[in-house]
Amino acid sequence: MNATVKNMDKQQYIELLSDAPWNQVDEFYGDKDKIPATYVTKIDIDSDAWIRFSVDNFDLAQQMWEKPKEHYGAKENNIADINNQVGRNEHNSFELNYGVNGDTNNKLISLLGKDNIQRLGIQEEGILVRLIVNMPGNGVAWHHDAAGRYFTKMYPDYEGTLDDLTRLWFSAVPWSNGHVFQVGSSMLHNWSAGDVWHIPWGVPHGSINFGYNIKYTVSLTGRKIR
């Protein structure tokens, strides 16, 4: 059963209820979805500069949506398949994703700035900054991170492991009605631009923009300071 079509007939609905693919997700994550988010710090963010970056570098944005991807492992692609089965698709999970194509990662690191990097407690080298732009009605499907693109594309010569890295999240703009981010059991909202949370590896999370303003958030991977 694939619920990516715009119209669903009764038999498709019955098949979806019978297959209940969401049970596989619950079984896979177990108690990990009960782990709360951890607030880290607040960094200084010029929201207008981040929005301007998205305009100036528009042609270098990856235009993406929920689907299996080459840099995912088998487990991550299985979750993506299930998300597609229950209706997550290009119509509700579309994003502009900056930080991989061209020199956008270096530009985003410069935009973040050394003072903020120090405040985040990560090394200055080996940072991957992903600016994710979601239009109203779109969001990031429930998933977990394994830093696949960090190891395979951005820093393939890095000899560290996942335990040597940390995943952080913050919004580049102030909170707006309808913007929600969930990490494990924590539902985040009413944030200020630059409020930073830690996303533990393997803990499921996702977001949605059911508001009327564009949502600009950042997923950052950095090397821990030993």
Side-chain angles (χ1 to χ4, degrees):
M1 168 62 202
N2 192 314
T4 60
V5 294
K6 292 183 179 180
N7 298 307
M8 175 181 284
D9 61 35
K10 183 176 180 180
Q11 185 57 39
Q12 288 176 314
Y13 178 56
I14 291 172
E15 290 176 3
L16 183 62
L17 291 176
S18 176
D19 293 342
W22 42 81
N23 290 336
Q24 297 180 49
V25 180
D26 288 339
E27 181 178 354
F28 176 76
Y29 287 120
D31 290 337
K32 288 184 178 179
D33 62 3
K34 296 179 176 59
I35 298 174
T38 302
Y39 184 81
V40 177
T41 188
K42 181 174 176 57
I43 58 177
D44 293 326
I45 293 294
D46 180 348
S47 296
D48 289 340
W50 288 77
I51 294 172
R52 190 162 55 249
F53 171 93
S54 72
V55 175
D56 293 343
N57 295 276
F58 182 86
D59 291 338
L60 290 174
Q62 294 175 294
Q63 301 201 19
M64 304 168 60
W65 54 87
E66 177 68 355
K67 62 181 179 179
K69 298 180 176 68
E70 290 183 359
H71 66 278
Y72 283 0
K75 295 177 181 178
E76 290 76 29
N77 273 329
N78 183 54
I79 297 297
D81 275 330
I82 293 172
N83 284 331
N84 287 158
Q85 290 176 42
V86 299
R88 299 309 302 269
N89 54 63
E90 65 269 30
H91 303 296
N92 54 40
S93 60
F94 175 79
E95 64 187 43
L96 298 173
N97 195 309
Y98 300 81
V100 172
N101 290 344
D103 61 349
T104 53
N105 186 48
N106 288 333
K107 289 180 177 178
L108 285 168
I109 292 172
S110 296
L111 189 58
L112 182 64
K114 289 188 176 182
D115 289 343
N116 282 333
I117 291 172
Q118 291 178 357
R119 196 172 300 175
L120 292 173
I122 57 176
Q123 298 181 36
E124 290 189 15
E125 67 275 7
I127 297 172
L128 173 56
V129 183
R130 308 292 298 278
L131 173 63
I132 300 170
V133 181
N134 289 126
M135 305 301 164
N138 290 266
V140 180
W142 197 239
H143 71 289
H144 68 279
D145 297 328
R149 183 173 273 117
Y150 185 95
F151 289 110
T152 61
K153 183 175 178 62
M154 302 304 295
Y155 297 102
D157 296 328
Y158 179 57
E159 297 180 354
T161 67
L162 198 61
D163 290 336
D164 299 313
L165 303 175
T166 187
R167 174 60 59 83
L168 303 171
W169 179 93
F170 64 88
S171 178
V173 299
W175 178 82
S176 180
N177 288 324
H179 294 186
V180 177
F181 184 70
Q182 183 176 348
V183 182
S185 62
S186 298
M187 198 73 68
L188 308 181
H189 55 87
N190 288 97
W191 54 68
S192 298
D195 281 338
V196 182
W197 281 268
H198 173 234
I199 306 176
W201 300 116
V203 172
H205 53 280
S207 70
I208 189 63
N209 178 3
F210 60 86
Y212 44 84
N213 287 330
I214 300 173
K215 181 165 66 69
Y216 298 84
T217 62
V218 174
S219 175
L220 185 151
T221 305
R223 300 176 187 178
K224 299 176 183 176
I225 296 176
R226 297 297 187 182

